[in-house]
Amino acid sequence: MVNTEQIKDADEEHKNENGFQNQYAMDTKRNTRILKSSQNDFNKNRNAKVQIATAIFKSLSFSFVLIICLLSMTTQPVSSSSSPYDVFLSFRGEDTRTNFTDHLHEALVRKGIRTFIDGELVRGEEISPALVKAIEESRISLIVFSENYASSRWCLDELVKILQCKQSKQQVVLPIFYKVDPSDVRKQTSKFGDAFEGLIESKFKDNEEKVLIWKESLTKAANLSGHTFKDGESEATFINNIVDGILRQVLRRTYWNVAEHPVGIQSHVQDAKKLLDVGGNSRRIVGIWGTSGIGKTTIAKAIWNAIAHEFQGSCFLENVREGSLVKLQKTLLHKYLGKKLKIQSVDEGIGVIRERLRRKKILLILDDVDRLEQLDKLAGDDCFGEGSRVIITTKNRRLLDNREIELIYEVKKLDYNQALELFSWHALGRSAPPKDDLKLAQRAIAFADGHPLALTILGSHLRGIYIRRWQVILDGYEGEPYTHIERILQKSYDALDDWAKDYFLDIACVSSRVNVRNMCYK
């Protein structure tokens, strides 16, 4: 008979093995042996496995099921490559190339910050593909607004592209107002406005659409928090402050991988940011609430990437539901204070948090909270300084109500267009299906009912299969005693290779403490 102690002993014996691959193989072998000792013909009994799989699908978290299902279905791994550039510099060459921008570039490189600076003095009609690529692949864009910046169509086109990347990729954008007033950039007035009007009059008098895009981009950029240099100020000190700020607030913090295809994520981020009101001085707690697999954690990570640089410190605690409160408290303090503290109890931990962090402006994200105690012991009243923001993701709306959290963002299912796009990326590797196959794709997404995880699994399941065969596969989803999502997961399990099914069952049964003997013989 398999008991918990056997499994614990098996796991503990290999706890300190080096290397994920070796540890995974050895643990799997040991767990498989334990399961086989309980039921010798376990691997021969396919009906028993289906019963176990069904129970597992209904009891395990969606994220766990997704990981296992995608082991064999995903044909293209998620890229984890880092950006080739930390900073992209946008500037007007004739104003600042040989003075301020050159000094800024040198200071950035001296600190080990990989910086792209355009060395071309002569340009064509449009900004080059290489320049567009450099903007897209940079983590930060520094825009040096100088008196004649808006006299250059290339500078303005760069600005438009930079703001597009801020919107689509959560790129950090920092404007630098070099001897110009931000209000002149915002309203296109004074000498800055004169330079802009000169460009329009000379070449773009009849291109109202392009001029409007430029004007909107200048206004948006000038409204961003940045750095203003004035005559008489020490240029060296000013530049050092910019570089130190980039290192401290942006480059030395964690960036979360959000999603391979972040369809609809940005609109969620924008809506949630309105509730957060990051620029305000009050303390604020915002709950992100929704069903399993709807994208709460993904949205929280995207929010982190967009706003974490605006705080003195930030911490993202994953899977709070499964963690030890004392360990989570230690992680929280270590993230902010940079050193490990000895904490013996939960009450001691919350006392230290309140004492050490109550004057700091911080961002704290608590992911997958399911008990009120977790909120009280990790983000109690008056634990953090003015301007701090706490974000909580949870499936439990009652928990948020009991904590009297009024700012709640409900994550809803994807709309039709978003669902079609997400499914198409995973199933076809493109943003939309061919017109001739639209009805098949529409039928497929109907099964997922706008649920991002179900769309991902279903699309990955169909990836690489000739689209005309989809009809047969989708027919198999009809008339079965499962809900939409359970049906998709069941079919995904059935499509796994035998070795993947065995790994899935061995890992899942042990993780969820399923009684295999009872499942096989009931």
Side-chain angles (χ1 to χ4, degrees), residues 254-290:
T254 302
Y255 281 83
W256 289 93
N257 180 41
V258 174
E260 185 179 7
H261 304 296
V263 177
I265 295 298
Q266 190 56 34
S267 61
H268 285 304
V269 171
Q270 294 303 321
D271 291 341
K273 282 175 68 176
K274 293 175 184 177
L275 293 179
L276 288 164
D277 186 27
V278 175
N281 291 324
S282 62
R283 302 176 185 87
R284 186 167 288 202
I285 300 178
V286 172
I288 298 179
W289 168 63

Side-chain angles (χ1 to χ4, degrees), residues 5 103-104 107 109 122 127 141 162 168 198 209 240 259 299 387 436 469 493 500 512:
E5 290 302 316
H103 301 157
L104 176 60
V109 172
V122 179
I127 58 175
S141 283
I162 287 169
S168 62
E209 183 179 355
N240 286 337
I299 294 167
D436 292 343
R469 290 189 56 209
Y493 169 80
S512 60

Side-chain angles (χ1 to χ4, degrees), residues 347-406:
D347 289 335
E348 179 187 0
I350 191 61
V352 175
I353 290 171
R354 185 173 283 111
E355 176 64 28
R356 297 293 188 94
L357 303 181
R358 64 182 177 183
R359 295 182 181 85
K360 293 184 179 293
K361 178 184 176 181
I362 70 165
L363 170 66
L364 172 62
I365 297 181
L366 303 177
D367 172 51
D368 198 10
V369 175
D370 68 345
R371 300 196 315 273
L372 193 60
E373 181 190 19
Q374 294 160 349
L375 294 182
D376 293 338
K377 301 305 181 182
L378 293 170
D381 294 332
D382 300 325
C383 279
F384 313 120
E386 291 185 357
S388 293
R389 296 292 181 269
V390 177
I391 299 173
I392 299 157
T393 74
T394 184
K395 300 184 290 286
N396 189 346
R397 172 60 186 259
R398 194 156 61 93
L399 181 145
L400 299 175
D401 293 336
N402 289 343
R403 188 64 162 74
E404 297 183 349
I405 296 172
E406 297 179 355

